[in-house]
Amino acid sequence: MARWIEVADGVLVRRYQELDLSLGLVVGAASCLVVDTGGDAGQGAGLAAAVREVTPLPWQVVLTHSHFDHAFGTEAFAPCAVWAHRGCRADLVATGAQQREVWARYYRERGEPDVGDRVAAVRPVLPDHLVDDRAELDLGDRRVVLRHFGPAHSDHDLVVHVPDASVVFAGDLVEHGAPPQFDDAHPQGWPVALDGVLGLDAATVVPGHGDPVDRGFVRAQRDELALVAELCREVASGALTAEQAVARSPYPEEPTRAALARIS
């Protein structure tokens, strides 16, 4: 099941029950921008059809990062410009096959073999418009700015800022309804990246998972992540054991241990 939420004029979020996923759409006068594409060809095709119910304008795609649920549905939009951080393309090349295997097995073991088969069949579309630190897109009467604030949830997170609407699509830099995930994260850089997001002064921030949030939510999550980063430093220095760090963490044991593993 999926539904649109309009967070500003011409700025929409597509909310999915599966993985609590949030994808985006920014509509300008001349073109539109799709923010992330879902986890397989079927989800991507569904998103493309939903976009066409909103606007007939030509589209571009931006990927906030390379994780399958954000990047594996891009084929449904091809051919078009696909924007991403340079590291996103590199990571799709390096980990695309492994992500297919892991998530296809996950869905098959969950009793959804059709979804597993779709994920297994994906050959990720590689971004062809690569960003290092900043890029600006003109959608007609609307400017969209892509920003990279350093390694955080991944080493290539890209933030999508719509200044005239005071909206930011933050990808998985922000998580609402579940703890942040640290599997390939950079805990020390994550609070710094959220400082960058807060510096954009947007009223609405769209997380990669969960409902849109405000600056207060982002600030609180930034402070939690700063505490996790400090606990990681203390474990690395020998001042704390891993068990002590887990006990003091704002997040459950599994995410915290994943964060500790990233810097130990």
Side-chain angles (χ1 to χ4, degrees):
M1 295 180 60
R3 59 190 172 91
W4 286 116
I5 298 174
E6 188 168 26
V7 294
D9 185 27
V11 182
L12 298 95
V13 182
R14 188 72 171 170
R15 293 283 289 116
Y16 293 82
Q17 185 175 14
E18 175 62 24
L19 299 180
D20 205 14
L21 184 65
S22 293
L23 309 178
L25 176 64
V26 183
V27 181
S31 64
C32 66
L33 180 67
V34 177
V35 184
D36 290 339
T37 59
D40 60 57
Q43 194 171 53
L47 175 62
V51 169
R52 280 292 168 251
E53 293 176 357
V54 174
T55 176
L57 291 171
W59 53 43
Q60 303 177 69
V61 164
V62 58
L63 302 178
T64 60
H65 61 298
S66 66
H67 293 166
F68 94 103
D69 47 337
H70 296 267
F72 273 22
T74 308
E75 184 179 1
F77 297 89
C80 70
V82 181
W83 295 83
H85 187 268
R86 190 173 305 276
C88 178
R89 180 186 174 101
D91 197 66
L92 284 170
V93 171
T95 72
Q98 180 186 20
Q99 289 195 64
R100 281 200 308 270
E101 179 182 347
V102 167
W103 285 99
R105 183 170 62 249
Y106 166 83
Y107 281 108
R108 287 165 178 160
E109 290 176 352
R110 203 173 79 166
E112 299 180 65
D114 53 335
V115 180
D117 290 346
R118 290 203 305 267
V119 173
V122 169
R123 295 297 179 268
V125 174
L126 298 180
D128 56 359
H129 287 59
L130 302 182
V131 181
D132 290 314
D133 298 314
R134 186 183 188 279
E136 189 168 314
L137 284 62
D138 183 1
L139 303 185
D141 61 345
R142 167 165 273 166
R143 180 173 60 97
V144 176
V145 182
L146 310 180
R147 299 290 303 273
H148 173 62
F149 292 116
H153 174 70
S154 71
D155 65 3
H156 54 266
D157 303 290
L158 206 60
V159 166
V160 181
H161 184 206
V162 190
D164 73 287
S166 196
V167 175
V168 166
F169 291 88
D172 286 359
L173 286 177
V174 178
E175 291 270 5
H176 180 227
Q181 297 301 300
F182 295 93
D183 292 343
D184 54 355
H186 298 258
Q188 303 295 348
W190 205 329
V192 177
L194 287 186
D195 285 339
V197 172
L198 289 165
L200 299 175
D201 200 29
T204 302
V205 176
V206 181
H209 302 267
D211 287 326
V213 299
D214 60 16
R215 287 172 49 80
F217 181 93
V218 177
R219 191 178 298 108
Q221 194 158 91
R222 184 260 176 223
D223 291 344
E224 291 174 346
L225 287 160
L227 175 55
V228 171
E230 177 60 27
L231 293 171
C232 289
R233 287 191 291 270
E234 292 190 11
V235 170
S237 72
L240 288 179
T241 66
E243 287 68 27
Q244 288 170 327
V246 169
R248 298 182 188 183
S249 173
Y251 300 130
E253 179 169 348
E254 184 178 348
T256 300
R257 289 194 182 277
L260 294 172
R262 292 296 299 166
I263 67 163
S264 53

